[in-house]
Every structure is written in C-alpha cells, then in structure tokens.
Amino acid sequence: MKVAVIGAGYVGSVTGAAFAASGRQVTVIDSDPRKVDRINAGKSPIYEPGLDALIDAAVRRRLLSASDRYDSIREADIVFIAVGTPSRPDGTADLTYVKSAADGIGAAINPDRFTVVVDKSTVPVGTAELVAARIEERSGLAHGKAFAVASNPEFLREGYALEDVFYPDRIVVGTGHPKARRALRKLYGPLLERKAYGVPADVIPQPTEAKAETIYFETDAKSAELIKYVSNAFLAVKISYINEVARLCEAIGADVTDVAAGVGLDSRIGGKFLQVSSGWSGSCFPKDTAELLSASRKYGSELTVVRAAVDSNRGMHEFCVEKIRRRLKSLIGRRVGVLGLTFKPNTDDARQTQASVIIGGLLELGASVSVHDPQGMAMFRTLNPKLEVRYCATGEETADGADAVVLLTHWDDYALLDWQAMRKRMRTPYVLDTRNFLRKKPWSEWGYEYEGIGIGTVRRRR
Ligand code: UDX
Ligand code: UDX
C-alpha cells in the first residue's frame, strides 16, 4: 500500500513516520526543502521526542522518503493532507494551504486508479466537499468514481505525538464511500493491532500509561470534521474551568491541586486536563476554538460556553500579570525573569503561546524582561521580533537582577535549576509558579517568597 502525506509539520511528519513504521511505502511531500532534506537524511523536521529515531529507521528501510514534488501522488493509494490551517485575523481557519494541496493532487492524480484523499489537518466542517470540488476541477475526474475524499482528524498532543499516533483512544474516519472506508480500514489495520511491521520495536515508544484498545470509529465527513473541533474546544473549556476554580481557591484559601484531584476521581470527569496554568495556548486550541466559535455563529447556533472559555482564558493570562504587579506594587524599573516560552514542555512549538501575551503585559507595565526556554527560544524570537526582551542562555540567568521569576512552562529542566544559587542573583526573591510545578521545594528555607496558582503563598523565613 502506497501512502503520500502532504505537509511535513507537527502532524504530517508524525503521521507519515507512523504509517511507514506499520510497513507502508510512504512519501512525505513538503514545499520546504529543509524539511525534505532532513527527512531524507533520516532526521525529524521538528522537535518531537522519539521522532528522529523513528524516521531514521523508516528511511534506512526505504519505507519513508520525502519530496517537494507531487509525483508520488500518481502511485499513491491514499493521500493525506496535513498542511497548516492557521487562523485568519477574524478567527476562521485559513484554507489557502489546503486548497493548494488539493490543486496539487488534482494536477497529479492518476485517472487509471482509485485514489483516497484524506483531510488529516484540522479543517472546518464542509472542507472535504471543498477539497473534492477542487480536485474535480483540476483533474476533470468525478468524485466518487476516480477518487473519494475522507476526513480523518488527528488528535496528537505535541510532546506526546508518537504515543498518541501509536496508541490513540480512537481513530475517527469520516466518509460514506465504501472504497474509501475499505482502504482506510486496511491502512490502519497494523496500528490497530499495535504491530510495527516495518521497523524494530525499540523505535516505537511504549505507552506511558495503560492504554485501552483503540476504537475505530466510522461516520460521515462532516461529523468527523466536527468531532475534532468539539474535542479540542471541550478540553479548552475544561482547562479554563479549573483555572477559574484555582482563582476561587485563592480567594477561599483552598488548595486547587487537591480540589482537582478530588473532582477528577469522578470517572465521568476524569483527572486529565485539570492542571492549572497561566492559560491554554499553542498552535491548536486558540485556532480551533476561534474557528468553532465562528462556525457556530455562522450557523446561527453560537457555542456560548466555548466563548466564555476563550474569554476566561484571556483573563487567566491577565490574572498572572496582575499577580506579579500586585506583589511588586509597580513594575516600572523592575526586572522579571520568565521561564518557558513554548506553550507546553517537550516541544519547540512557540506559536501563539501564552508567553507572548504575558510578556507583552509585563513590558506594557514598564518591566524589563529576561526569558529562557530549552527548545522554543529560536521560534519565539522569530515570531515575536518586536518583543524587547533579554534572551538568556540558561534558566539561571533569568534571575540576574530580577524582582520576580515566573515559571510559565513546566520543563523538567526547571526543576533541576540551582534555585538556591539563583536566590543571590535576584534583587527581590519572588517566584510565581503558574503550574504549581515546583511547589515541593523548600522555598521558605532558601529565603524565597513562592506563589503558585490556587495554592496560597509560601512566605520566606525571616
Ligand atoms: C497542521 C494544522 O495547522 C493543524 O490545524 C492540524 O491540526 C494539523 O496540521 P501542523 O502540522 O502544526 O498542523 O502544521 P505546520 O507545522 O504548519 O506544517 C505544515 C507543513 O505543510 C509545513 O511544513 C509546510 O511547509 C507544508 N506546506 C504548507 C506544504 O508543503 N505545502 C503547502 O502548500 C503549504
Ligand atoms: C491539543 C489536543 O490535546 C490534541 O488532541 C489535538 O490534536 C491538538 O491540540 P496540543 O495543543 O499539542 O494538543 O497540547 P495539549 O497538551 O492539549 O495542551 C494544550 C494547552 O493546554 C497547552 O498550553 C497546555 O499547557 C495547556 N494545558 C493542558 C493546561 O493548561 N492544563 C492541562 O491540564 C492540560
């Protein structure tokens, strides 16, 4: 079975490598020559734990290759579209790249064989029809005869993408076409049986927790497209909810970690995605909640709960800036160190991160800001050229002359920092830990004032 994947980003590169690992012949197509070269050299085009080894093993066994051309579409049984679908200023998804991929498919598709085209990217409801129409226009072929378009949304979490692609809770396939259904069932067979036919078992990650059997879920294209948005928006609502509960805990004097644990024990709720933060962010939740909201308004049935979660999330970023301002009285002439620029640990993805909003707020109030991130500094700097901050080579450096150090992203690296030594580098020993990640350290003994979110303040020992 031959597979083509258009787009070698956070989704396409993982998706292509996983199908190669299950013994398929996979070509990843990308317009960025650097990504094409990296994959053909057996390297991952993005930072994702475990992906380098997987791509290297698949390329060595000639199961995976990359190209900047659409030639491989001619021989492909299944073609995945995994290009970017960034937000437009009005919040709707920009389908420029999806349309360009559909046009590329239309120009290269083989009229003598049946091709299944699959939307893997997160795309607005109705995009499968749009892709089908563009391929018909460009190829002169009829949808349903020479090809069919299906929706097969991804549920990958960055930093855990390999675990999520090999041990997903569910595989959602949206199409009514029997040939497309048959082809996709065949493609996913090895992954459902959790067998890696093409590569040594040691390059397939073991799940970090017990994983129930993967459910293969078939529906129509529109429902599959909507499942993705509704899932992501629900996760965002859940996080906004616990972050607001954390603020209530501060007012009441309760401990949000225990509240979340106690609530999460209810199997109807579950303990995941109840971890406190300075708010959710990244390349998916903001874009997917915005698109779903605008779609719900367009269809005259606005999801007001999602709108409330988006507003509440913005308020959470502001709440963290206000916490620092309140503690330091004024930020004018003050220096704040910021640990963590990526939207979560174990990724280099610094797109739409809470850090850019929070740092912007601190600068606006007159603070100077020093920043560090183990993986995301380069992308953050490129995406935020106007942000006047000091980029530090180490996490410790963010403490130099600082009146506050704020942990935004819970990288393990930050638990290993020499916090005792950092105390002497700071002008005011105040730490705000927006993930409650370091709460167990002896802050008071080290002479710090430590604050979390929803867990009260640890005063420094006089
Ligand atoms: C993308 C979507 O943004 C997201 O909504 C969806 O959930 C999964 O697919 P991601 O993989 O992060 O997520 O996109 P990105 O990292 O931007 O990668 C897209 C790749 O497609 C880039 O490497 C880009 O070079 C490539 N591309 C884009 C093409 O090869 N051709 C194009 O016409 C446009
Ligand atoms: C998300 C979905 O989880 C995934 O299924 C979908 O395919 C893409 O979008 P991702 O954006 O990679 O994945 O990251 P995720 O782990 O969901 O975190 C999203 C944001 O929520 C991050 O900013 C993270 O820090 C935050 N978060 C997550 C919390 O604040 N608290 C939590 O408990 C979990």
Side-chain angles (χ1 to χ4, degrees):
M1 184 174 246
K2 289 192 170 57
V3 176
V5 177
I6 302 171
Y10 289 90
V11 174
S13 52
V14 172
T15 302
F19 288 134
S22 62
R24 308 320 184 171
Q25 198 68 40
V26 179
T27 306
V28 178
I29 299 167
D30 199 296
S31 53
D32 179 346
R34 285 165 308 174
K35 292 193 172 164
V36 170
D37 295 345
R38 279 190 67 83
I39 291 174
N40 286 330
K43 295 194 178 332
S44 168
I46 57 161
Y47 176 87
E48 180 62 50
L51 191 54
D52 264 325
L54 184 63
I55 287 178
D56 180 50
V59 169
R60 281 179 195 279
R61 287 163 181 74
R62 314 181 76 72
L63 287 166
L64 178 65
S65 66
S67 166
D68 60 356
R69 302 166 48 79
Y70 278 63
D71 302 359
S72 58
I73 301 289
R74 283 192 69 75
E75 305 311 318
D77 300 290
I78 303 182
V79 181
F80 283 89
I81 297 178
V83 293
T85 51
S87 272
R88 282 197 292 231
D90 68 355
T92 57
D94 178 351
L95 292 180
T96 307
Y97 300 139
V98 170
K99 291 173 185 167
S100 129
D103 292 344
I105 294 167
I109 197 167
N110 185 337
D112 304 329
R113 57 182 305 138
F114 188 83
T115 308
V116 179
V117 178
V118 186
D119 287 338
K120 177 59 82 175
S121 291
T122 303
V123 292
V125 176
T127 303
E129 289 159 23
L130 176 145
V131 167
R134 290 194 75 112
I135 293 174
E136 284 188 325
E137 245 167 73
R138 288 298 296 261
S139 65
L141 300 175
H143 180 250
K145 295 253 179 314
F147 72 97
V149 180
S151 163
N152 171 220
E154 50 86 17
F155 300 103
L156 309 179
R157 290 167 298 157
E158 290 178 16
Y160 300 87
L162 292 198
E163 177 166 341
D164 291 347
V165 79
F166 285 111
Y167 311 103
D169 293 337
R170 78 289 205 200
I171 292 167
V172 172
V173 168
T175 176
H177 198 288
K179 278 189 178 176
R181 286 197 167 192
R182 237 186 339 272
L184 284 164
R185 264 193 225 120
K186 186 171 167 222
L187 171 69
Y188 276 109
L191 287 173
L192 283 168
E193 290 155 33
R194 296 192 174 159
K195 287 203 182 94
Y197 288 122
V199 295
D202 66 356
V203 297
I204 309 275
Q206 287 312 310
T208 51
E209 56 184 355
K211 283 281 180 185
E213 208 167 275
T214 297
I215 307 292
Y216 192 83
F217 184 83
E218 289 176 325
T219 181
D220 63 276
K222 281 188 176 175
S223 303
E225 289 162 340
L226 194 55
I227 286 169
K228 168 67 189 194
Y229 281 105
V230 170
S231 299
N232 260 16
F234 182 77
L235 293 169
V237 166
K238 201 174 175 186
I239 297 164
S240 288
Y241 182 62
I242 199 64
N243 279 336
E244 284 202 352
V245 165
R247 293 163 66 171
L248 179 60
C249 286
E250 289 199 356
I252 291 175
D255 182 320
V256 71
T257 309
D258 288 355
V259 170
V263 166
L265 289 172
D266 182 325
S267 58
R268 295 167 301 173
I269 299 172
K272 292 182 180 170
F273 280 62
L274 285 178
Q275 276 78 48
V276 159
S277 62
S278 58
W280 44 265
S281 66
S283 53
C284 289
F285 280 8
K287 133 177 101 64
D288 294 349
T289 47
E291 166 54 37
L292 182 61
L293 261 182
S294 74
S296 69
R297 288 177 188 137
K298 186 174 80 177
Y299 288 101
S301 181
E302 185 184 25
L303 297 176
T304 59
V305 172
V306 175
R307 187 188 61 203
V310 171
D311 294 346
S312 162
N313 190 57
R314 193 176 310 111
M316 197 60 199
H317 301 340
E318 292 157 4
F319 174 77
C320 293
V321 174
E322 178 51 22
K323 253 175 110 75
I324 300 162
R325 191 207 58 74
R326 207 174 45 237
R327 172 62 194 71
L328 299 178
K329 308 279 184 287
S330 156
L331 288 179
I332 294 170
R334 301 288 207 149
R335 177 163 290 279
V336 178
V338 172
L339 294 173
L341 300 175
T342 53
F343 72 112
K344 58 187 280 198
N346 301 319
T347 180
D348 63 345
D349 196 347
R351 295 177 285 185
Q352 279 89 38
T353 80
Q354 76 276 10
S356 52
V357 176
I358 290 169
I359 291 168
L362 294 169
L363 292 171
E364 236 167 74
L365 290 170
S368 309
V369 178
S370 311
V371 302
H372 176 268
D373 188 281
Q375 291 291 338
M377 271 201 285
M379 190 186 296
F380 186 85
R381 195 170 200 157
T382 309
L383 295 173
N384 300 280
K386 294 200 179 60
L387 227 46
E388 299 275 319
V389 295
R390 174 150 57 95
Y391 288 90
C392 301
T394 66
E396 282 91 351
E397 268 180 54
T398 60
D400 290 347
D403 298 292
V405 167
V406 187
L407 182 136
L408 292 183
T409 311
H410 44 315
W411 284 94
D412 287 343
D413 309 46
Y414 296 148
L416 306 174
L417 290 180
D418 184 349
W419 286 95
Q420 253 184 311
M422 283 167 72
R423 166 71 187 78
K424 297 183 204 65
R425 301 167 83 148
M426 294 181 75
R427 196 161 55 179
T428 318
Y430 171 63
V431 170
L432 173 61
D433 176 0
T434 67
R435 304 280 183 159
N436 300 334
F437 177 55
L438 303 173
R439 66 180 296 182
K440 295 225 182 347
K441 291 198 180 283
W443 297 106
S444 161
E445 189 185 312
W446 290 344
Y448 280 96
E449 183 179 328
Y450 169 88
E451 265 205 289
I453 306 267
I455 58 170
T457 301
V458 173
R459 301 269 172 236
R460 60 183 155 158
R461 195 167 290 165
R462 291 285 165 216

